[in-house]
Amino acid sequence: MTLKVAVLTGAGISAESGVPTFRGQGGLWKSFRPEELATPEAFRKDPAIVWEWYLWRRSLIAKAEPNEGHLGLVELESMLGDNFLLITQNVDGLHQKAGSKRLVELHGNIWKVRCLSCGAVYEDRRVQSKELPPRCKECGGLIRPDVVWFGEPLPIEALEKAVSWASSCSIFVSVGTSALVYPAAELPYIAKRSGAKVVEINPEETPVSEIGDVIIREPASKGIRKLLRML
Ligand code: APR
């Protein structure tokens, strides 16, 4: 039987690169929780503070290098080729920086912006801005990070591909995600129902632990190495 592997990653895989996770230690910024900042309502009320948070996150990500976890997944991709898909909730771009090619981004990318006036989407790599909130380079309208906020739909193509892989893979690996944010959190259950073996790599227990066939209670860097040895 050919192995077909889908891997779902969350903020935990980038924690060892110095990018704070959203929940748990280091997730707070100026006493705000992500749920209070990453919403369309928060942006409507105070776009400057939301942008300040994103610029702070960008400045941490800009300094970050992919770690052994990201690199291990590049190895897995080169082992499995077309039988591998990386599904990430991360917006930091560290998987691409590591060299991953076969991936879908479920929650967008922090290095892109979208104009709320003219709809332009373009790359924007600044980590600070005199003007807060920053404005569209095309029309001067209000721009927002091109990421998915709470209550917003996920990019449909990415989601459909993720669901299709969860339904058809033989092994589904959940790495470094609290598995609390839907619809991404549904993917391990879809995989399990479809007959896949579910693997979890996380130092902490999560809802996926209950349905996991293999649980690796390690940080992503060590855990993915272990997984590579097991396959
Ligand atoms: N290796 C693996 N997992 C780790 C590590 C590590 N070194 N360090 C922490 N973790 C785990 C934590 O135990 C936790 O389960 O990573 C998980 C991080 O959870 P969250 O902060 O909730 O991140 P994530 O699951 O990616 O959040 C989902 O929520 O805020 C939104 O859109 C945002 O994509 C994000 C989504």
Side-chain angles (χ1 to χ4, degrees), residues 11 33 39 51 58 60 62 80 94 102 111 114 136 153-154 157 166-167 184 197 202 210:
R33 288 180 299 118
T39 71
W51 260 112
R58 277 185 180 188
L60 298 175
L80 297 170
L94 287 177
R102 295 185 50 82
W111 300 110
R114 187 163 82 235
C136 176
L154 271 58
E157 257 183 49
S167 320
K197 295 279 180 228
N202 196 314
E210 273 181 39

mmCIF file with all atom_site columns, all heavy atoms in Angstrom, residues 11 33 39 51 58 60 62 80 94 102 111 114 136 153-154 157 166-167 184 197 202 210:
data_model
loop_
_atom_site.group_PDB
_atom_site.id
_atom_site.type_symbol
_atom_site.label_atom_id
_atom_site.label_alt_id
_atom_site.label_comp_id
_atom_site.label_asym_id
_atom_site.label_entity_id
_atom_site.label_seq_id
_atom_site.pdbx_PDB_ins_code
_atom_site.Cartn_x
_atom_site.Cartn_y
_atom_site.Cartn_z
_atom_site.occupancy
_atom_site.B_iso_or_equiv
_atom_site.pdbx_formal_charge
_atom_site.auth_seq_id
_atom_site.auth_comp_id
_atom_site.auth_asym_id
_atom_site.auth_atom_id
_atom_site.pdbx_PDB_model_num
ATOM 1   N N   . ALA A 1 11  ? 0.717   26.849 15.175 1.00 0.00 ? 11  ALA A N   1
ATOM 2   C CA  . ALA A 1 11  ? 1.728   27.777 15.686 1.00 0.00 ? 11  ALA A CA  1
ATOM 3   C C   . ALA A 1 11  ? 2.856   27.086 16.458 1.00 0.00 ? 11  ALA A C   1
ATOM 4   O O   . ALA A 1 11  ? 3.981   27.590 16.508 1.00 0.00 ? 11  ALA A O   1
ATOM 5   C CB  . ALA A 1 11  ? 1.052   28.804 16.574 1.00 0.00 ? 11  ALA A CB  1
ATOM 6   N N   . ARG A 1 33  ? -5.930  39.109 24.087 1.00 0.00 ? 33  ARG A N   1
ATOM 7   C CA  . ARG A 1 33  ? -5.898  37.749 23.554 1.00 0.00 ? 33  ARG A CA  1
ATOM 8   C C   . ARG A 1 33  ? -6.095  37.826 22.047 1.00 0.00 ? 33  ARG A C   1
ATOM 9   O O   . ARG A 1 33  ? -6.713  38.782 21.560 1.00 0.00 ? 33  ARG A O   1
ATOM 10  C CB  . ARG A 1 33  ? -7.009  36.904 24.191 1.00 0.00 ? 33  ARG A CB  1
ATOM 11  C CG  . ARG A 1 33  ? -6.740  36.556 25.665 1.00 0.00 ? 33  ARG A CG  1
ATOM 12  C CD  . ARG A 1 33  ? -7.864  35.727 26.262 1.00 0.00 ? 33  ARG A CD  1
ATOM 13  N NE  . ARG A 1 33  ? -9.131  36.445 26.236 1.00 0.00 ? 33  ARG A NE  1
ATOM 14  C CZ  . ARG A 1 33  ? -10.207 36.033 25.560 1.00 0.00 ? 33  ARG A CZ  1
ATOM 15  N NH1 . ARG A 1 33  ? -10.177 34.895 24.866 1.00 0.00 ? 33  ARG A NH1 1
ATOM 16  N NH2 . ARG A 1 33  ? -11.332 36.731 25.574 1.00 0.00 ? 33  ARG A NH2 1
ATOM 17  N N   . THR A 1 39  ? -10.045 39.868 14.612 1.00 0.00 ? 39  THR A N   1
ATOM 18  C CA  . THR A 1 39  ? -11.452 39.810 14.198 1.00 0.00 ? 39  THR A CA  1
ATOM 19  C C   . THR A 1 39  ? -11.771 41.034 13.343 1.00 0.00 ? 39  THR A C   1
ATOM 20  O O   . THR A 1 39  ? -11.175 42.096 13.526 1.00 0.00 ? 39  THR A O   1
ATOM 21  C CB  . THR A 1 39  ? -12.425 39.828 15.405 1.00 0.00 ? 39  THR A CB  1
ATOM 22  O OG1 . THR A 1 39  ? -12.394 41.141 15.984 1.00 0.00 ? 39  THR A OG1 1
ATOM 23  C CG2 . THR A 1 39  ? -12.090 38.804 16.451 1.00 0.00 ? 39  THR A CG2 1
ATOM 24  N N   . TRP A 1 51  ? -3.162  46.633 13.605 1.00 0.00 ? 51  TRP A N   1
ATOM 25  C CA  . TRP A 1 51  ? -1.939  46.702 12.797 1.00 0.00 ? 51  TRP A CA  1
ATOM 26  C C   . TRP A 1 51  ? -0.675  46.686 13.660 1.00 0.00 ? 51  TRP A C   1
ATOM 27  O O   . TRP A 1 51  ? 0.330   46.073 13.303 1.00 0.00 ? 51  TRP A O   1
ATOM 28  C CB  . TRP A 1 51  ? -1.951  47.954 11.896 1.00 0.00 ? 51  TRP A CB  1
ATOM 29  C CG  . TRP A 1 51  ? -2.354  47.601 10.496 1.00 0.00 ? 51  TRP A CG  1
ATOM 30  C CD1 . TRP A 1 51  ? -3.502  47.961 9.853  1.00 0.00 ? 51  TRP A CD1 1
ATOM 31  C CD2 . TRP A 1 51  ? -1.609  46.787 9.573  1.00 0.00 ? 51  TRP A CD2 1
ATOM 32  N NE1 . TRP A 1 51  ? -3.523  47.423 8.587  1.00 0.00 ? 51  TRP A NE1 1
ATOM 33  C CE2 . TRP A 1 51  ? -2.375  46.697 8.396  1.00 0.00 ? 51  TRP A CE2 1
ATOM 34  C CE3 . TRP A 1 51  ? -0.384  46.116 9.633  1.00 0.00 ? 51  TRP A CE3 1
ATOM 35  C CZ2 . TRP A 1 51  ? -1.944  45.972 7.276  1.00 0.00 ? 51  TRP A CZ2 1
ATOM 36  C CZ3 . TRP A 1 51  ? 0.039   45.389 8.525  1.00 0.00 ? 51  TRP A CZ3 1
ATOM 37  C CH2 . TRP A 1 51  ? -0.742  45.324 7.376  1.00 0.00 ? 51  TRP A CH2 1
ATOM 38  N N   . ARG A 1 58  ? 5.075   40.432 12.823 1.00 0.00 ? 58  ARG A N   1
ATOM 39  C CA  . ARG A 1 58  ? 5.963   40.420 11.654 1.00 0.00 ? 58  ARG A CA  1
ATOM 40  C C   . ARG A 1 58  ? 7.427   40.623 12.052 1.00 0.00 ? 58  ARG A C   1
ATOM 41  O O   . ARG A 1 58  ? 8.306   39.991 11.499 1.00 0.00 ? 58  ARG A O   1
ATOM 42  C CB  . ARG A 1 58  ? 5.588   41.554 10.696 1.00 0.00 ? 58  ARG A CB  1
ATOM 43  C CG  . ARG A 1 58  ? 4.448   41.221 9.756  1.00 0.00 ? 58  ARG A CG  1
ATOM 44  C CD  . ARG A 1 58  ? 4.308   42.386 8.815  1.00 0.00 ? 58  ARG A CD  1
ATOM 45  N NE  . ARG A 1 58  ? 3.258   42.213 7.842  1.00 0.00 ? 58  ARG A NE  1
ATOM 46  C CZ  . ARG A 1 58  ? 3.050   43.031 6.828  1.00 0.00 ? 58  ARG A CZ  1
ATOM 47  N NH1 . ARG A 1 58  ? 3.815   44.102 6.670  1.00 0.00 ? 58  ARG A NH1 1
ATOM 48  N NH2 . ARG A 1 58  ? 2.073   42.817 5.973  1.00 0.00 ? 58  ARG A NH2 1
ATOM 49  N N   . LEU A 1 60  ? 8.914   39.771 14.753 1.00 0.00 ? 60  LEU A N   1
ATOM 50  C CA  . LEU A 1 60  ? 9.448   38.526 15.330 1.00 0.00 ? 60  LEU A CA  1
ATOM 51  C C   . LEU A 1 60  ? 9.677   37.487 14.227 1.00 0.00 ? 60  LEU A C   1
ATOM 52  O O   . LEU A 1 60  ? 10.698  36.788 14.200 1.00 0.00 ? 60  LEU A O   1
ATOM 53  C CB  . LEU A 1 60  ? 8.478   37.946 16.360 1.00 0.00 ? 60  LEU A CB  1
ATOM 54  C CG  . LEU A 1 60  ? 8.198   38.812 17.580 1.00 0.00 ? 60  LEU A CG  1
ATOM 55  C CD1 . LEU A 1 60  ? 7.130   38.155 18.455 1.00 0.00 ? 60  LEU A CD1 1
ATOM 56  C CD2 . LEU A 1 60  ? 9.476   39.004 18.399 1.00 0.00 ? 60  LEU A CD2 1
ATOM 57  N N   . ALA A 1 62  ? 10.183  38.032 11.066 1.00 0.00 ? 62  ALA A N   1
ATOM 58  C CA  . ALA A 1 62  ? 11.263  38.448 10.145 1.00 0.00 ? 62  ALA A CA  1
ATOM 59  C C   . ALA A 1 62  ? 12.620  37.951 10.652 1.00 0.00 ? 62  ALA A C   1
ATOM 60  O O   . ALA A 1 62  ? 13.505  37.638 9.870  1.00 0.00 ? 62  ALA A O   1
ATOM 61  C CB  . ALA A 1 62  ? 11.258  39.960 9.998  1.00 0.00 ? 62  ALA A CB  1
ATOM 62  N N   . LEU A 1 80  ? 8.131   11.537 -0.153 1.00 0.00 ? 80  LEU A N   1
ATOM 63  C CA  . LEU A 1 80  ? 6.807   11.057 -0.595 1.00 0.00 ? 80  LEU A CA  1
ATOM 64  C C   . LEU A 1 80  ? 6.300   11.702 -1.877 1.00 0.00 ? 80  LEU A C   1
ATOM 65  O O   . LEU A 1 80  ? 5.375   11.189 -2.510 1.00 0.00 ? 80  LEU A O   1
ATOM 66  C CB  . LEU A 1 80  ? 5.775   11.290 0.521  1.00 0.00 ? 80  LEU A CB  1
ATOM 67  C CG  . LEU A 1 80  ? 6.007   10.533 1.820  1.00 0.00 ? 80  LEU A CG  1
ATOM 68  C CD1 . LEU A 1 80  ? 5.073   11.034 2.912  1.00 0.00 ? 80  LEU A CD1 1
ATOM 69  C CD2 . LEU A 1 80  ? 5.784   9.037  1.610  1.00 0.00 ? 80  LEU A CD2 1
ATOM 70  N N   . LEU A 1 94  ? 7.167   30.381 7.243  1.00 0.00 ? 94  LEU A N   1
ATOM 71  C CA  . LEU A 1 94  ? 8.414   29.662 7.559  1.00 0.00 ? 94  LEU A CA  1
ATOM 72  C C   . LEU A 1 94  ? 8.516   28.309 6.849  1.00 0.00 ? 94  LEU A C   1
ATOM 73  O O   . LEU A 1 94  ? 9.618   27.836 6.563  1.00 0.00 ? 94  LEU A O   1
ATOM 74  C CB  . LEU A 1 94  ? 8.579   29.486 9.074  1.00 0.00 ? 94  LEU A CB  1
ATOM 75  C CG  . LEU A 1 94  ? 8.957   30.770 9.831  1.00 0.00 ? 94  LEU A CG  1
ATOM 76  C CD1 . LEU A 1 94  ? 9.024   30.497 11.339 1.00 0.00 ? 94  LEU A CD1 1
ATOM 77  C CD2 . LEU A 1 94  ? 10.287  31.346 9.350  1.00 0.00 ? 94  LEU A CD2 1
ATOM 78  N N   . ARG A 1 102 ? 4.787   21.643 -1.494 1.00 0.00 ? 102 ARG A N   1
ATOM 79  C CA  . ARG A 1 102 ? 3.436   21.084 -1.599 1.00 0.00 ? 102 ARG A CA  1
ATOM 80  C C   . ARG A 1 102 ? 2.652   21.463 -0.341 1.00 0.00 ? 102 ARG A C   1
ATOM 81  O O   . ARG A 1 102 ? 2.504   20.670 0.576  1.00 0.00 ? 102 ARG A O   1
ATOM 82  C CB  . ARG A 1 102 ? 3.519   19.561 -1.748 1.00 0.00 ? 102 ARG A CB  1
ATOM 83  C CG  . ARG A 1 102 ? 4.204   19.126 -3.060 1.00 0.00 ? 102 ARG A CG  1
ATOM 84  C CD  . ARG A 1 102 ? 4.162   17.622 -3.220 1.00 0.00 ? 102 ARG A CD  1
ATOM 85  N NE  . ARG A 1 102 ? 2.830   17.078 -3.035 1.00 0.00 ? 102 ARG A NE  1
ATOM 86  C CZ  . ARG A 1 102 ? 1.876   17.044 -3.965 1.00 0.00 ? 102 ARG A CZ  1
ATOM 87  N NH1 . ARG A 1 102 ? 2.115   17.503 -5.161 1.00 0.00 ? 102 ARG A NH1 1
ATOM 88  N NH2 . ARG A 1 102 ? 0.698   16.535 -3.683 1.00 0.00 ? 102 ARG A NH2 1
ATOM 89  N N   . TRP A 1 111 ? 2.493   38.245 5.283  1.00 0.00 ? 111 TRP A N   1
ATOM 90  C CA  . TRP A 1 111 ? 3.312   39.147 4.453  1.00 0.00 ? 111 TRP A CA  1
ATOM 91  C C   . TRP A 1 111 ? 2.538   39.696 3.255  1.00 0.00 ? 111 TRP A C   1
ATOM 92  O O   . TRP A 1 111 ? 3.125   40.317 2.365  1.00 0.00 ? 111 TRP A O   1
ATOM 93  C CB  . TRP A 1 111 ? 4.587   38.447 3.988  1.00 0.00 ? 111 TRP A CB  1
ATOM 94  C CG  . TRP A 1 111 ? 5.438   38.008 5.141  1.00 0.00 ? 111 TRP A CG  1
ATOM 95  C CD1 . TRP A 1 111 ? 5.663   36.737 5.561  1.00 0.00 ? 111 TRP A CD1 1
ATOM 96  C CD2 . TRP A 1 111 ? 6.170   38.851 6.044  1.00 0.00 ? 111 TRP A CD2 1
ATOM 97  N NE1 . TRP A 1 111 ? 6.476   36.724 6.667  1.00 0.00 ? 111 TRP A NE1 1
ATOM 98  C CE2 . TRP A 1 111 ? 6.808   38.010 6.980  1.00 0.00 ? 111 TRP A CE2 1
ATOM 99  C CE3 . TRP A 1 111 ? 6.343   40.238 6.169  1.00 0.00 ? 111 TRP A CE3 1
ATOM 100 C CZ2 . TRP A 1 111 ? 7.606   38.503 8.019  1.00 0.00 ? 111 TRP A CZ2 1
ATOM 101 C CZ3 . TRP A 1 111 ? 7.146   40.728 7.201  1.00 0.00 ? 111 TRP A CZ3 1
ATOM 102 C CH2 . TRP A 1 111 ? 7.760   39.867 8.102  1.00 0.00 ? 111 TRP A CH2 1
ATOM 103 N N   . ARG A 1 114 ? -4.399  43.277 1.895  1.00 0.00 ? 114 ARG A N   1
ATOM 104 C CA  . ARG A 1 114 ? -5.550  43.420 0.993  1.00 0.00 ? 114 ARG A CA  1
ATOM 105 C C   . ARG A 1 114 ? -6.197  44.777 1.242  1.00 0.00 ? 114 ARG A C   1
ATOM 106 O O   . ARG A 1 114 ? -6.386  45.156 2.401  1.00 0.00 ? 114 ARG A O   1
ATOM 107 C CB  . ARG A 1 114 ? -6.538  42.295 1.286  1.00 0.00 ? 114 ARG A CB  1
ATOM 108 C CG  . ARG A 1 114 ? -7.691  42.235 0.324  1.00 0.00 ? 114 ARG A CG  1
ATOM 109 C CD  . ARG A 1 114 ? -8.388  40.886 0.393  1.00 0.00 ? 114 ARG A CD  1
ATOM 110 N NE  . ARG A 1 114 ? -9.327  40.822 1.497  1.00 0.00 ? 114 ARG A NE  1
ATOM 111 C CZ  . ARG A 1 114 ? -9.333  39.926 2.450  1.00 0.00 ? 114 ARG A CZ  1
ATOM 112 N NH1 . ARG A 1 114 ? -8.438  38.984 2.485  1.00 0.00 ? 114 ARG A NH1 1
ATOM 113 N NH2 . ARG A 1 114 ? -10.233 39.952 3.399  1.00 0.00 ? 114 ARG A NH2 1
ATOM 114 N N   . CYS A 1 136 ? -3.192  51.827 1.340  1.00 0.00 ? 136 CYS A N   1
ATOM 115 C CA  . CYS A 1 136 ? -2.950  51.096 0.089  1.00 0.00 ? 136 CYS A CA  1
ATOM 116 C C   . CYS A 1 136 ? -2.011  51.881 -0.830 1.00 0.00 ? 136 CYS A C   1
ATOM 117 O O   . CYS A 1 136 ? -2.212  53.081 -1.030 1.00 0.00 ? 136 CYS A O   1
ATOM 118 C CB  . CYS A 1 136 ? -4.286  50.869 -0.610 1.00 0.00 ? 136 CYS A CB  1
ATOM 119 S SG  . CYS A 1 136 ? -4.140  50.081 -2.223 1.00 0.00 ? 136 CYS A SG  1
ATOM 120 N N   . PRO A 1 153 ? -14.659 33.284 6.510  1.00 0.00 ? 153 PRO A N   1
ATOM 121 C CA  . PRO A 1 153 ? -14.484 32.008 5.811  1.00 0.00 ? 153 PRO A CA  1
ATOM 122 C C   . PRO A 1 153 ? -13.034 31.788 5.393  1.00 0.00 ? 153 PRO A C   1
ATOM 123 O O   . PRO A 1 153 ? -12.292 32.751 5.186  1.00 0.00 ? 153 PRO A O   1
ATOM 124 C CB  . PRO A 1 153 ? -15.371 32.155 4.573  1.00 0.00 ? 153 PRO A CB  1
ATOM 125 C CG  . PRO A 1 153 ? -15.502 33.622 4.353  1.00 0.00 ? 153 PRO A CG  1
ATOM 126 C CD  . PRO A 1 153 ? -15.355 34.286 5.698  1.00 0.00 ? 153 PRO A CD  1
ATOM 127 N N   . LEU A 1 154 ? -12.650 30.508 5.296  1.00 0.00 ? 154 LEU A N   1
ATOM 128 C CA  . LEU A 1 154 ? -11.297 30.184 4.820  1.00 0.00 ? 154 LEU A CA  1
ATOM 129 C C   . LEU A 1 154 ? -11.282 30.219 3.293  1.00 0.00 ? 154 LEU A C   1
ATOM 130 O O   . LEU A 1 154 ? -12.332 30.061 2.670  1.00 0.00 ? 154 LEU A O   1
ATOM 131 C CB  . LEU A 1 154 ? -10.914 28.778 5.301  1.00 0.00 ? 154 LEU A CB  1
ATOM 132 C CG  . LEU A 1 154 ? -10.247 28.683 6.671  1.00 0.00 ? 154 LEU A CG  1
ATOM 133 C CD1 . LEU A 1 154 ? -11.116 29.276 7.749  1.00 0.00 ? 154 LEU A CD1 1
ATOM 134 C CD2 . LEU A 1 154 ? -9.904  27.241 7.003  1.00 0.00 ? 154 LEU A CD2 1
ATOM 135 N N   . GLU A 1 157 ? -10.553 27.188 -2.022 1.00 0.00 ? 157 GLU A N   1
ATOM 136 C CA  . GLU A 1 157 ? -9.721  26.166 -2.704 1.00 0.00 ? 157 GLU A CA  1
ATOM 137 C C   . GLU A 1 157 ? -8.813  25.434 -1.720 1.00 0.00 ? 157 GLU A C   1
ATOM 138 O O   . GLU A 1 157 ? -8.665  24.211 -1.778 1.00 0.00 ? 157 GLU A O   1
ATOM 139 C CB  . GLU A 1 157 ? -8.830  26.832 -3.745 1.00 0.00 ? 157 GLU A CB  1
ATOM 140 C CG  . GLU A 1 157 ? -9.331  26.650 -5.150 1.00 0.00 ? 157 GLU A CG  1
ATOM 141 C CD  . GLU A 1 157 ? -8.371  27.267 -6.160 1.00 0.00 ? 157 GLU A CD  1
ATOM 142 O OE1 . GLU A 1 157 ? -7.157  26.997 -6.081 1.00 0.00 ? 157 GLU A OE1 1
ATOM 143 O OE2 . GLU A 1 157 ? -8.869  28.033 -7.001 1.00 0.00 ? 157 GLU A OE2 1
ATOM 144 N N   . ALA A 1 166 ? -7.584  15.030 3.752  1.00 0.00 ? 166 ALA A N   1
ATOM 145 C CA  . ALA A 1 166 ? -7.921  14.402 5.039  1.00 0.00 ? 166 ALA A CA  1
ATOM 146 C C   . ALA A 1 166 ? -8.791  13.172 4.799  1.00 0.00 ? 166 ALA A C   1
ATOM 147 O O   . ALA A 1 166 ? -8.669  12.159 5.489  1.00 0.00 ? 166 ALA A O   1
ATOM 148 C CB  . ALA A 1 166 ? -8.641  15.408 5.939  1.00 0.00 ? 166 ALA A CB  1
ATOM 149 N N   . SER A 1 167 ? -9.644  13.238 3.775  1.00 0.00 ? 167 SER A N   1
ATOM 150 C CA  . SER A 1 167 ? -10.563 12.120 3.498  1.00 0.00 ? 167 SER A CA  1
ATOM 151 C C   . SER A 1 167 ? -9.879  10.951 2.803  1.00 0.00 ? 167 SER A C   1
ATOM 152 O O   . SER A 1 167 ? -10.442 9.863  2.752  1.00 0.00 ? 167 SER A O   1
ATOM 153 C CB  . SER A 1 167 ? -11.704 12.550 2.574  1.00 0.00 ? 167 SER A CB  1
ATOM 154 O OG  . SER A 1 167 ? -12.166 13.800 2.887  1.00 0.00 ? 167 SER A OG  1
ATOM 155 N N   . ALA A 1 184 ? -10.275 24.076 10.638 1.00 0.00 ? 184 ALA A N   1
ATOM 156 C CA  . ALA A 1 184 ? -9.052  23.257 10.587 1.00 0.00 ? 184 ALA A CA  1
ATOM 157 C C   . ALA A 1 184 ? -9.102  22.114 11.602 1.00 0.00 ? 184 ALA A C   1
ATOM 158 O O   . ALA A 1 184 ? -8.660  20.992 11.322 1.00 0.00 ? 184 ALA A O   1
ATOM 159 C CB  . ALA A 1 184 ? -7.821  24.131 10.850 1.00 0.00 ? 184 ALA A CB  1
ATOM 160 N N   . LYS A 1 197 ? -4.772  6.581  9.859  1.00 0.00 ? 197 LYS A N   1
ATOM 161 C CA  . LYS A 1 197 ? -4.154  6.567  11.193 1.00 0.00 ? 197 LYS A CA  1
ATOM 162 C C   . LYS A 1 197 ? -3.854  8.018  11.537 1.00 0.00 ? 197 LYS A C   1
ATOM 163 O O   . LYS A 1 197 ? -3.327  8.768  10.693 1.00 0.00 ? 197 LYS A O   1
ATOM 164 C CB  . LYS A 1 197 ? -2.831  5.792  11.179 1.00 0.00 ? 197 LYS A CB  1
ATOM 165 C CG  . LYS A 1 197 ? -3.007  4.317  10.883 1.00 0.00 ? 197 LYS A CG  1
ATOM 166 C CD  . LYS A 1 197 ? -3.437  3.562  12.131 1.00 0.00 ? 197 LYS A CD  1
ATOM 167 C CE  . LYS A 1 197 ? -3.626  2.079  11.843 1.00 0.00 ? 197 LYS A CE  1
ATOM 168 N NZ  . LYS A 1 197 ? -4.893  1.548  12.368 1.00 0.00 ? 197 LYS A NZ  1
ATOM 169 N N   . ASN A 1 202 ? 2.801   16.899 19.818 1.00 0.00 ? 202 ASN A N   1
ATOM 170 C CA  . ASN A 1 202 ? 2.525   18.084 20.634 1.00 0.00 ? 202 ASN A CA  1
ATOM 171 C C   . ASN A 1 202 ? 2.978   17.779 22.058 1.00 0.00 ? 202 ASN A C   1
ATOM 172 O O   . ASN A 1 202 ? 2.659   16.713 22.589 1.00 0.00 ? 202 ASN A O   1
ATOM 173 C CB  . ASN A 1 202 ? 0.997   18.377 20.605 1.00 0.00 ? 202 ASN A CB  1
ATOM 174 C CG  . ASN A 1 202 ? 0.672   19.782 21.082 1.00 0.00 ? 202 ASN A CG  1
ATOM 175 O OD1 . ASN A 1 202 ? 1.184   20.244 22.092 1.00 0.00 ? 202 ASN A OD1 1
ATOM 176 N ND2 . ASN A 1 202 ? -0.192  20.460 20.348 1.00 0.00 ? 202 ASN A ND2 1
ATOM 177 N N   . GLU A 1 210 ? -7.364  12.335 21.886 1.00 0.00 ? 210 GLU A N   1
ATOM 178 C CA  . GLU A 1 210 ? -8.387  11.292 22.102 1.00 0.00 ? 210 GLU A CA  1
ATOM 179 C C   . GLU A 1 210 ? -8.535  10.348 20.922 1.00 0.00 ? 210 GLU A C   1
ATOM 180 O O   . GLU A 1 210 ? -8.896  9.194  21.097 1.00 0.00 ? 210 GLU A O   1
ATOM 181 C CB  . GLU A 1 210 ? -9.753  11.954 22.344 1.00 0.00 ? 210 GLU A CB  1
ATOM 182 C CG  . GLU A 1 210 ? -9.976  12.295 23.774 1.00 0.00 ? 210 GLU A CG  1
ATOM 183 C CD  . GLU A 1 210 ? -11.348 12.920 23.988 1.00 0.00 ? 210 GLU A CD  1
ATOM 184 O OE1 . GLU A 1 210 ? -12.321 12.483 23.351 1.00 0.00 ? 210 GLU A OE1 1
ATOM 185 O OE2 . GLU A 1 210 ? -11.406 13.857 24.799 1.00 0.00 ? 210 GLU A OE2 1
#
